[in-house]
């Protein structure tokens, strides 16, 4: 279990004032849970992910993974970035194998594990391509495979599909559901798309800015239905889904644009 | 057939066999999007024409004897002397000896500059201490023309090879150092974070991510450094040399042998062009991803 306990992050802004990026946020992500953080930019969701990944120290509070405190980045937490962070001088295969190489695994083991991972994200035919010859969606699949290679406890995904066109995005969402269902990994996923949150989450947390905090949490089941073979389109047109969607929309707009409510 | 619109029905008519209409294909010209600036258009023809025109101008000026031979020898004279120098040497050394002397100085200087510039530049990009210590001296001497501190080199290191190679190494160090530092600065933070969360140690991070990321900028720095090296070479070879292309030009100038000066300049141009081409090939080979990510 990944436990976030009263995590608070204060930045010093350039003008000397203090920015309360994260204010006493508590959150548990259990095994097999896909937790999605939903909110506008500036609500602290990326800050929360950075702290979980160990890129950012906390001002106060604690983050633990299976009881061990998170003190820095480590291979027990795989990160998938929004901007592709692939290394352009390495082939797709070498990029996916990076974590295994850094861990000192032999060439044969790297090859074996890598080809299996590339198969699971549908990129077996592109193993030798350089990343810059791939489309945006394919690059994100490489990023996902790379993060999975070290068999992390949890996947931390920072708006991984945010820069993709909507068709590719839907494909990627289904791919993620498939990977999540097959591996049973914990996932923490950031988005500002309500539909993405509804489709992917077993739990959605709604965050609001200034100070960044969790305002609402909902447990959802749409992702389990899709994972067990339900048609995503009929899920998305079901009355529960549409109801939740209106609810989340209201919540987000009430926290983000207080003026809009007056109109 | 739809009486209101006869064309609706017309589309349904099938001819068997189909009518073979041998219509003349109209000539359609291909188009390109308008470009701004030079874009991708090749300027090779224009450049070649310019060279040809300049050569013609040179030939005309000397043929009509508009200026004296001492100021501008004719193309034929220069070519004849070039062949002479090639077969018999110039100023007590063969052409090959002059070339090797210059090339070995440039290469030694470049080797020292690269061997020091890359690691120190990378460190300066990573550590505030190294940057703090090295920034001031490099920023101070880098804009100076090497001729200005040449006398210091002679006083400190004598008139042998040592002072020449040191001068060249100093002149070439700064571009390599600064480009390696810039290469680290332009490194996307996501690449570092990705490697760290995959379990990279500091050394692995340097080898697997930082150095390759900085390589395109480093190679650009080396190309600039070699250019600086050639322009410093003539200055370095002023110091009591007995061999070298720079020395050849200097000694020719003492005898107002303008044609020999031309030959020396041509050789420097050939060498510099060769180096530049070599480094560009190296870039294509080592950093094919440059500008694509």
């Amino acid at each position: 279990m990944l436990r976030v306990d009263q995590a608070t992050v204060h930045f010093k802004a350039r003008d000397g004032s203090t920015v309360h990026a994260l204010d006493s946020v508590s959150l548990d992500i259990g095994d097999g849970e896909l937790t999605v953080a939903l909110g506008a930019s500036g609500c602290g969701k990326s800050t929360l992910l950075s702290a979980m990944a160990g890129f950012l120290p906390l001002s106060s509070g604690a983050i633990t993974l299976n009881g061990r405190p998170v003190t820095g980045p480590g291979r027990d937490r795989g990160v998938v970035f929004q901007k592709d962070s692939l290394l352009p001088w390495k082939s797709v295969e070498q990029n996916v194998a990076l974590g295994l190489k850094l861990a000192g695994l032999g060439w044969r083991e790297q090859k074996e594990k890598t080809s299996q991972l590339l198969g699971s994200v549908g990129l077996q035919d592109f193993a030798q391509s350089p990343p810059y010859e791939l489309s945006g969606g394919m690059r994100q699949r490489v990023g996902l495979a790379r993060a999975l290679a070290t068999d992390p406890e949890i996947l931390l995904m920072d708006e991984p599909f945010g820069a993709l066109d909507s068709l590719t995005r839907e494909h990627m969402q289904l791919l993620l559901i498939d990977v999540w269902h097959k591996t049973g990994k914990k996932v923490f996923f950031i988005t500002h798309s309500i539909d993405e949150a509804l489709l992917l989450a077993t739990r959605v947390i709604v965050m609001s800015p200034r100070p960044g905090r969790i305002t609402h949490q909902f447990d959802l089941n749409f992702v389990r239905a899709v994972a067990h073979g339900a048609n995503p389109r009929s899920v998305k047109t079901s009355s529960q889904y549409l109801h939740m969607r209106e609810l989340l929309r209201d919540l987000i707009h009430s926290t983000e644009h207080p003026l809009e409510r007056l109109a | 057939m739809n009486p209101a619109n006869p064309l609706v029905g017309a589309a349904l008519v099938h001819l068997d066999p189909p009518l073979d209409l041998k219509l003349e294909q109209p000539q359609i010209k291909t188009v390109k999007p308008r470009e701004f600036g030079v874009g991708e258009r090749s300027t090779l023809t224009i450049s070649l024409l310019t060279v040809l025109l300049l050569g013609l101008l040179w030939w005309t000026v000397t043929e009509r004897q508009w200026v004296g031979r001492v100021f501008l020898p004719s193309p034929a004279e220069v070519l004849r002397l070039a062949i002479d120098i090639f077969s018999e040497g110039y100023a007590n050394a063969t052409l090959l000896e002059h070339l090797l002397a210059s090339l070995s100085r440039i290469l030694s200087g470049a080797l020292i500059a690269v061997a020091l510039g890359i690691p120190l530049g990378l460190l300066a990009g990573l550590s505030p201490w190294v940057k703090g210590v090295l920034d001031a001296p490099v920023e101070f001497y880098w804009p100076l023309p090497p001729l200005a501190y040449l006398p210091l080199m002679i006083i400190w290191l004598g008139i042998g090879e040592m002072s020449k190679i040191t001068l060249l190494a100093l002149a070439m160090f700064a571009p390599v150092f600064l480009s390696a530092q810039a290469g680290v600065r332009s490194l996307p933070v996501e690449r570092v974070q990705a490697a760290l969360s995959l379990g990279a140690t500091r050394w692995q991070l340097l080898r697997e991510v930082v150095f390759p990321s900085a390589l395109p900028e480093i190679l650009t720095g080396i190309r600039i450094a070699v250019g600086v090296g050639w322009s410093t070479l003539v200055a370095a070879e002023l110091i009591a040399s007995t061999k070298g292309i720079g020395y050849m030009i200097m000694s020719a100038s003492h005898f107002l042998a303008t044609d020999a000066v031309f030959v020396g300049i041509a050789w420097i141009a050939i060498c510099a062009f060769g180096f530049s081409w070599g480094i560009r090939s190296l870039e294509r080979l080592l950093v094919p991803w440059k500008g694509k990510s």
Side-chain angles (χ1 to χ4, degrees):
Chain A
M1 173 146 78
L2 183 115
R3 166 162 284 172
V4 181
D5 187 23
Q6 299 283 316
T8 299
V9 172
H10 290 180
F11 291 122
K12 188 69 96 194
R14 205 164 285 195
D15 61 3
S17 65
T18 307
V19 179
H20 298 230
L22 218 54
D23 190 64
S24 296
V25 167
S26 294
L27 177 70
D28 282 349
I29 302 176
D31 285 342
E33 272 200 77
L34 211 165
T35 300
V36 176
L38 179 64
S41 31
C43 71
K45 55 195 195 303
S46 281
T47 307
L48 180 56
L49 185 136
S50 290
M52 288 177 179
F55 303 146
L56 182 75
L58 295 175
S59 300
S60 72
I63 297 175
T64 55
L65 180 59
N66 298 336
R68 282 169 284 121
V70 165
T71 52
R75 64 176 64 118
D76 50 357
R77 283 149 291 141
V79 185
V80 181
F81 297 85
Q82 173 174 24
K83 270 205 303 189
D84 52 308
S85 53
L86 303 176
L87 306 180
W89 55 90
K90 289 182 184 287
S91 67
V92 163
E93 187 179 46
Q94 289 169 326
N95 267 290
V96 174
L98 181 62
L100 306 172
K101 186 184 177 191
L102 294 174
L105 254 69
W107 179 83
R108 197 180 298 259
E109 286 169 283
Q110 286 184 32
K111 194 90 178 169
E112 206 171 292
K113 190 90 195 275
T114 305
S115 72
Q116 181 205 327
L117 280 163
L118 283 176
S120 69
V121 295
L123 284 178
Q124 55 274 44
D125 295 340
F126 295 89
Q128 305 308 325
S129 308
Y132 51 81
E133 283 180 5
L134 304 185
S135 68
M138 285 167 146
R139 282 204 286 258
Q140 289 308 79
R141 283 193 256 170
V142 178
L144 178 61
R146 179 179 68 179
L148 285 166
T150 50
D151 199 21
E153 289 281 322
I154 183 168
L155 278 178
L156 306 173
M157 308 181 76
D158 190 356
E159 289 191 47
F161 311 147
L164 304 177
D165 66 85
S166 58
L167 288 176
T168 310
R169 193 169 188 161
E170 283 179 29
H171 281 296
M172 292 297 292
Q173 289 164 355
L174 296 181
L175 176 76
L176 175 64
I177 292 174
D178 187 52
V179 166
W180 166 78
H181 184 59
K182 282 183 181 147
T183 60
K185 295 272 180 228
K186 293 184 269 294
V187 179
F188 180 69
F189 188 103
I190 287 178
T191 186
H192 49 231
S193 154
I194 292 171
D195 277 308
E196 192 162 76
L198 282 173
L199 186 69
L200 293 180
T202 60
R203 168 176 295 170
V204 60
I205 59 172
V206 180
M207 298 185 71
S208 76
R210 285 176 299 275
R213 55 167 60 133
I214 298 174
T215 54
H216 301 83
Q217 301 195 27
F218 302 95
D219 288 324
L220 299 173
N221 257 323
F222 303 117
V223 67
R224 293 201 180 93
V226 172
H228 287 103
N231 183 342
R233 249 189 307 174
S234 46
V235 167
K236 282 185 186 175
T237 46
S238 67
S239 60
Q240 300 103 305
Y241 183 96
L242 295 173
H243 170 75
M244 272 311 295
R245 191 173 150 184
E246 282 312 302
L247 184 67
L248 287 179
R249 194 184 294 270
D250 279 347
L251 284 174
I252 289 196
H253 286 297
S254 69
T255 56
E256 273 165 31
H257 302 291
L259 288 179
E260 218 167 68
R261 304 192 87 200
L262 300 175
Chain B
M1 200 171 269
N2 187 338
N5 187 352
L7 285 177
V8 171
L12 295 171
V13 174
H14 291 285
L15 288 172
D16 197 28
L19 253 180
D20 192 14
L21 289 174
K22 285 236 161 46
L23 285 175
E24 188 115 346
Q25 280 294 315
Q27 281 289 319
I28 298 180
K29 64 171 184 171
T30 58
V31 294
K32 269 195 232 169
R34 282 176 224 284
E35 289 177 275
F36 177 75
V38 174
E40 307 234 315
R41 281 167 287 191
S42 170
T43 53
L44 188 68
T45 326
I46 303 171
S47 301
L48 284 177
L49 272 176
T50 311
V51 171
L52 216 68
L53 214 69
L54 283 174
L56 198 70
L57 186 71
W58 179 17
W59 182 79
T60 315
V61 166
T62 50
E63 191 71 2
R64 293 288 174 90
Q65 298 193 332
W66 287 341
V67 294
R69 281 199 56 243
V70 176
F71 295 106
L72 190 65
S74 73
E77 281 175 306
V78 172
L79 201 67
R80 216 174 302 130
L81 186 72
I83 295 166
D84 268 8
I85 291 176
F86 187 75
S87 53
E88 284 158 35
Y90 189 82
N92 304 322
T94 65
L95 179 70
L96 194 68
E97 285 174 323
H98 284 308
L99 278 174
L100 281 181
S102 290
L103 285 175
S104 70
R105 283 170 195 144
I106 285 253
L107 285 177
S108 314
L111 216 64
I112 297 169
V114 166
L116 291 176
I118 293 178
L120 287 178
L122 292 178
L123 281 176
L126 295 169
S127 145
W129 270 98
V130 179
K131 180 176 162 62
V133 168
L134 288 177
D135 254 3
V138 171
E139 289 296 333
F140 173 74
Y141 94 80
W142 154 235
L144 298 176
L147 260 176
Y149 52 87
L150 177 62
L152 286 178
M153 294 296 116
I154 301 176
I155 294 166
W156 291 341
L157 301 168
I159 54 171
E161 286 301 293
M162 188 68 150
S163 53
K164 296 183 196 65
I165 291 172
T166 309
L167 185 79
L168 281 168
L170 270 175
M172 294 163 95
F173 170 80
V176 178
F177 171 81
L178 292 173
S179 67
Q181 199 181 334
V184 177
R185 264 207 304 270
S186 65
L187 169 66
V189 69
E190 286 89 354
R191 276 189 200 165
V192 175
Q193 291 180 335
L196 286 176
S197 46
L198 290 168
T201 61
R202 274 194 84 77
W203 169 243
Q204 283 176 326
L205 188 66
L206 196 67
R207 197 187 57 201
E208 297 284 336
V209 178
V210 177
F211 175 69
S213 289
L215 197 56
E217 308 220 15
I218 290 174
L219 285 171
T220 307
I222 292 176
R223 209 169 67 216
I224 295 170
V226 170
V228 171
W230 281 106
S231 59
T232 311
L233 181 72
V234 178
E237 288 180 346
L238 275 171
I239 322 168
S241 301
T242 53
K243 288 187 193 73
I245 298 292
Y247 163 73
M248 199 175 118
I249 294 173
M250 291 319 299
S251 73
S253 78
H254 290 155
F255 301 106
L256 288 182
T258 321
D259 43 3
V261 173
F262 269 74
V263 174
I265 289 173
W267 273 109
I268 291 183
I270 290 167
C271 291
F273 181 80
F275 269 69
S276 180
W277 180 83
I279 297 170
R280 270 179 210 279
S281 312
L282 209 61
E283 281 182 349
R284 271 195 296 276
L285 190 75
L286 291 177
V287 292
W289 71 87
K290 188 176 176 181
K292 286 178 184 160
S293 57

